[in-house]
Amino acid sequence: MPGLRSRLPVHAPLALVFTVVAVGMVRVLTQHWREGAALLGGALLLAALLRIVLPTDRVGLLAIRSRPVDVLVYSAFGGAMLVLALTIVRASSDLTY
């Protein structure tokens, strides 16, 4: 299968990002939503990093728009997700109304 072997490196960056997303979703679904959300934000930041360092012909489906727009969007959403995951605190259950 030389066709699959030559295509695998092109899809490896997206597979790596999806792996981090899958781990994050497992954490969210097991009620560790803060860790899962941080992993999802980290996956977007990883996508931005890969978009910066890899050439366009090797970045695969992470290249949606131009490189600067992709990096800006991935970084903005990843940073926002990470900040939200790390700064939202659990509400106290002993609040009285």
Side-chain angles (χ1 to χ4, degrees):
M1 279 175 132
L4 177 63
R5 190 174 301 159
S6 65
R7 297 178 116 195
L8 188 60
V10 173
H11 299 297
L14 185 64
L16 180 63
V17 171
F18 276 172
T19 301
V20 176
V21 168
V23 172
M25 288 306 297
V26 167
R27 294 303 289 166
V28 168
L29 293 172
T30 57
Q31 299 182 1
H32 295 93
W33 67 268
R34 189 172 291 127
E35 293 173 16
L39 282 168
L40 293 174
L44 285 166
L45 293 175
L46 175 63
L49 177 69
L50 291 172
R51 186 68 174 106
I52 289 171
V53 299
L54 293 175
T56 304
D57 62 335
R58 284 291 170 204
V59 76
L61 292 174
L62 290 178
I64 299 171
R65 297 166 285 303
S66 67
R67 185 181 302 225
V69 172
D70 282 342
V71 171
L72 178 68
V73 171
Y74 289 145
S75 298
F77 284 130
M81 188 84 149
L82 201 57
V83 166
L84 286 172
L86 297 176
T87 58
I88 294 178
V89 295
R90 179 178 294 187
S92 178
S93 62
D94 55 0
L95 291 176
T96 58
Y97 293 98

